Amino acid sequence: MQMATHLFTWLALGCTTTYFLLFFLIRHRPRRKSQLPNLPPGPAPLPIIGSLHKLGDRPHLSLAELSKCHGPLMSLRLGHVTTIVASSPAVAREILQKNDQYLASRFVPDAVHIFDHNKKSMVWSPLNHFWRNLKRISATQLFTNQRLDTNQGLRRAKVQELLDHVRSCCSEGLPVDIGRAAFVTAINLISNTVFSVDLVGVNSESSHEFKETVWAIMVEAGSPNLSDYFPILRWMDLQGRRRRQRANFQKLHAFFDKMIDDRLRHASANATCRDFLDVLLQSLQRSEIDRVIIKSLLTDIFTAGSDTSSNTVEWAMAELLHNPKAMARAQAELSEIIGFGNHIEESDFVRLPYLQSIVKETLRLHPPAPFLIPRKAEDDVDVGGFTIPKHAQVLVNVWAIGRDTSIWEDPDNFNPTRFMGSGLDYKGKNFELIPFGSGSRTCPGLPLADRMVHFMLASLLCSFHWSLPDGMSSRDMDMSDMFGITLAKAVPLRAVPTKH
């Protein structure tokens, strides 16, 4: 990974210096002081590449360290792009709430400019009528409390399949790949909601392939790319991100095309809506959306919905195994309130404050998207006495906010009790904890993710005791992460279940 970082830097230096130095010197000749915006402070940029060399392979950590020197509102020049980074709750509130209407558009990575996904995706499209229509369809047909309550039996069935898989591993004395098992549960829940069928089996090769494809999409979209920072280089696709992303999208789209064609082939004129695909196809027949829009929306739902929930469950289990006292307290609460080995219902969550605190603490330390999704300024915006210039990329480093020593005591320590009785939640109102964002671009899937993460985690803890394989101790665990749009655990968690 370190070699890849150096290669990225040298590619930036070599290619831009050799072929485009004259272009940039002419186009970006120094402006008069009166022409310069009042940018927030930041590191002094190098010629041509700016501060690209400072990103490293874990940009969330690198930018958190830089913010300690330059402040909670920081500017960097990354190649051709002015980037603004917010690293405090107060500044995040200014950006996501007070100035939401001016800063709610997307800075779209070049690797997302595939099959018009940048224009027809709910995640990446600008804040316009088209986006509002997609959000309305998703919100009313997938994520309302009424719809979620209706699908409670489906979630119960998928979690039971997860427990059946763990029980099988338990009887054979085998460790469980927590992230993969949680991913299969999440993806099959989404697939049943959308298509009324399971997509993958927990031990199937297809589950591994689908998980790899989803993670590859996140990596290509989230990793530093020369094409994003030097637009004149986009046609070359020097790092191959657009080429690889096209292949990733083609895999998903081929599956979606098959499901759409099968449904249209067997649809009857008087068919009632059975699932979300029926809703989308009715909109297609009314010419409200087209097939490309359907596939883009489904790509958003399947990638974001499966990856974030499964990662959070994996991180929560990893932290509990890394902190045995917290694990013991969580299971004591479940044993007292539910009874060890008994089935859990979603209505039980309100009676499990320590479990809720575990989820909050996990999201504080390991937010699903460390920078949320990059925003773009549609106009010059004043924030904190500085100017965010038009077209700037705007990042909110929620990872840095979650580890800020001025907000959290001993912030690197996993301590769920800090949330007991605090009243803090992650629904977008408390800017100390905004793993799903805030304002108009709050993650629309938050209500479903909230239920699924609690359900999977509580069920795993209430049905089994857990230990690390091969005599490994908690001190030996690798708790490092891998950066993409989302943060995954670098070393997948394997844990051994035993019955009570």
Side-chain angles (χ1 to χ4, degrees):
M1 188 64 77
Q2 190 65 32
M3 182 179 294
T5 302
H6 290 312
L7 178 61
F8 179 87
T9 302
W10 283 111
L11 275 172
L13 281 166
C15 293
T16 55
T17 302
T18 303
Y19 297 105
F20 302 107
L21 177 59
L22 182 61
F23 173 84
F24 279 104
L25 288 176
I26 293 173
R27 184 180 177 91
H28 299 287
R29 60 188 179 276
R31 293 183 291 178
R32 294 190 303 272
K33 187 173 182 179
S34 61
Q35 294 178 303
L36 293 173
N38 180 30
L39 291 173
L46 294 177
I48 309 299
I49 68 168
S51 296
L52 277 174
H53 61 295
K54 293 182 177 293
L55 292 182
D57 58 0
R58 300 180 69 207
H60 53 299
L61 176 59
S62 302
L63 294 182
E65 290 299 315
L66 284 173
S67 71
K68 294 177 182 178
C69 300
H70 302 287
L73 185 63
M74 176 175 64
S75 66
L76 303 93
R77 185 164 60 78
L78 303 178
H80 183 62
V81 177
T82 298
T83 298
I84 307 297
V85 184
S87 303
S88 76
V91 177
R93 185 188 299 273
E94 287 276 308
I95 289 172
L96 302 178
Q97 187 179 81
K98 182 178 178 181
N99 293 289
D100 185 30
Q101 60 179 320
Y102 307 111
L103 299 172
S105 284
R106 292 303 193 200
F107 184 89
V108 184
D110 181 64
V112 174
H113 288 254
I114 306 294
F115 304 128
D116 282 338
H117 191 67
N118 55 304
K119 300 176 183 176
K120 300 196 173 185
S121 155
M122 182 169 62
V123 171
W124 296 105
S125 64
L127 203 68
N128 53 24
H129 176 73
F130 167 78
W131 172 82
R132 291 185 181 89
N133 186 46
L134 283 187
K135 185 177 181 181
R136 176 188 58 79
I137 292 172
S138 299
T140 58
Q141 299 299 326
L142 284 178
F143 304 127
T144 62
N145 284 330
Q146 180 180 1
R147 180 70 65 175
L148 291 172
D149 289 343
T150 300
N151 289 335
Q152 190 171 157
L154 176 59
R155 289 191 296 278
R156 187 185 302 114
K158 295 300 113 181
V159 170
Q160 185 58 51
E161 290 174 7
L162 169 65
L163 296 179
D164 290 343
H165 166 67
V166 175
R167 194 169 291 111
S168 175
C169 293
C170 182
S171 64
E172 298 178 29
L174 298 175
V176 177
D177 185 330
I178 298 294
R180 182 170 176 174
F183 178 85
V184 169
T185 303
I187 206 72
N188 280 338
L189 170 68
I190 295 170
S191 182
N192 272 274
T193 304
V194 175
F195 301 129
S196 300
V197 296
D198 279 350
L199 179 59
V200 295
V202 69
N203 290 314
S204 67
E205 184 60 30
S206 61
S207 69
H208 177 73
E209 182 180 354
F210 203 93
K211 192 175 193 302
E212 289 298 309
T213 300
V214 168
W215 175 243
I217 288 173
M218 297 298 191
V219 169
E220 300 298 351
S223 298
N225 187 359
L226 288 172
S227 297
D228 293 326
Y229 303 121
F230 301 99
I232 199 169
L233 298 176
R234 283 178 181 166
W235 66 276
M236 300 173 69
D237 190 25
L238 287 170
Q239 293 166 267
R241 295 202 183 280
R242 200 180 328 116
R243 171 178 52 79
R244 292 190 296 272
Q245 193 74 304
R246 178 177 294 274
N248 295 329
F249 274 50
Q250 284 173 335
K251 290 179 184 178
L252 291 188
H253 286 194
F255 169 72
F256 297 150
D257 275 325
K258 180 180 182 302
M259 299 303 294
I260 292 169
D261 290 339
D262 287 348
R263 186 65 58 85
L264 290 173
R265 191 178 302 117
H266 298 102
S268 63
N270 298 319
T272 58
C273 284
R274 295 182 299 134
D275 50 34
F276 190 54
L277 180 59
D278 284 333
V279 173
L280 295 177
L281 292 181
Q282 287 189 356
S283 294
L284 177 67
Q285 292 168 352
R286 293 193 296 265
S287 299
E288 297 173 351
I289 57 178
D290 59 32
R291 183 180 280 236
V292 176
I293 293 173
I294 291 177
K295 290 190 289 186
S296 288
L297 179 57
L298 294 179
T299 298
D300 290 341
I301 291 171
F302 273 86
T303 53
S306 58
D307 193 60
T308 54
S309 295
S310 59
N311 281 348
T312 301
V313 171
E314 183 177 24
W315 277 118
M317 288 293 291
E319 288 289 1
L320 290 171
L321 284 162
H322 196 55
N323 298 272
K325 290 183 179 179
M327 172 79 83
R329 179 167 177 176
Q331 293 190 310
E333 179 184 69
L334 285 161
S335 181
E336 178 182 350
I337 302 300
I338 307 297
F340 200 88
N342 291 338
H343 291 292
I344 293 175
E345 298 294 337
E346 291 180 3
S347 58
D348 294 324
F349 299 159
V350 69
R351 300 188 294 146
L352 300 167
Y354 192 69
L355 179 78
Q356 294 180 47
S357 296
I358 288 170
V359 173
K360 292 175 184 178
E361 181 73 339
T362 301
L363 291 170
R364 178 186 72 84
L365 285 170
H366 310 285
F371 294 132
L372 303 179
I373 304 294
R375 294 187 171 215
K376 184 176 75 171
E378 288 297 325
D379 207 339
D380 289 352
V381 179
D382 291 332
V383 173
F386 298 102
T387 299
I388 297 178
K390 186 176 181 179
H391 302 312
Q393 176 181 216
V394 181
L395 305 176
V396 178
N397 194 344
V398 295
W399 187 91
I401 293 173
R403 297 179 185 245
D404 189 335
T405 56
S406 68
I407 306 170
W408 310 100
E409 183 179 352
D410 197 10
D412 292 328
N413 182 44
F414 181 79
N415 179 20
T417 58
R418 71 174 83 241
F419 287 104
M420 297 287 284
S422 69
L424 288 175
D425 65 30
Y426 43 78
K427 305 298 176 63
K429 301 298 183 183
N430 303 120
F431 286 83
E432 303 93 329
L433 189 68
I434 48 171
F436 297 97
S438 183
S440 60
R441 290 286 192 169
T442 302
C443 174
L446 169 57
L448 176 58
D450 183 53
R451 296 193 188 203
M452 274 306 291
V453 167
H454 283 88
F455 206 170
M456 285 193 280
L457 182 61
S459 298
L460 291 172
L461 293 174
C462 193
S463 300
F464 304 94
H465 291 292
W466 295 89
S467 60
L468 295 168
D470 304 322
M472 181 189 298
S473 74
S474 60
R475 295 186 300 275
D476 298 326
M477 293 179 67
D478 186 330
M479 299 294 286
S480 58
D481 55 39
M482 292 190 302
F483 179 82
I485 286 284
T486 57
L487 279 185
K489 196 170 180 300
V491 177
L493 175 64
R494 294 169 61 81
V496 179
T498 53
K499 294 181 180 178
H500 182 56

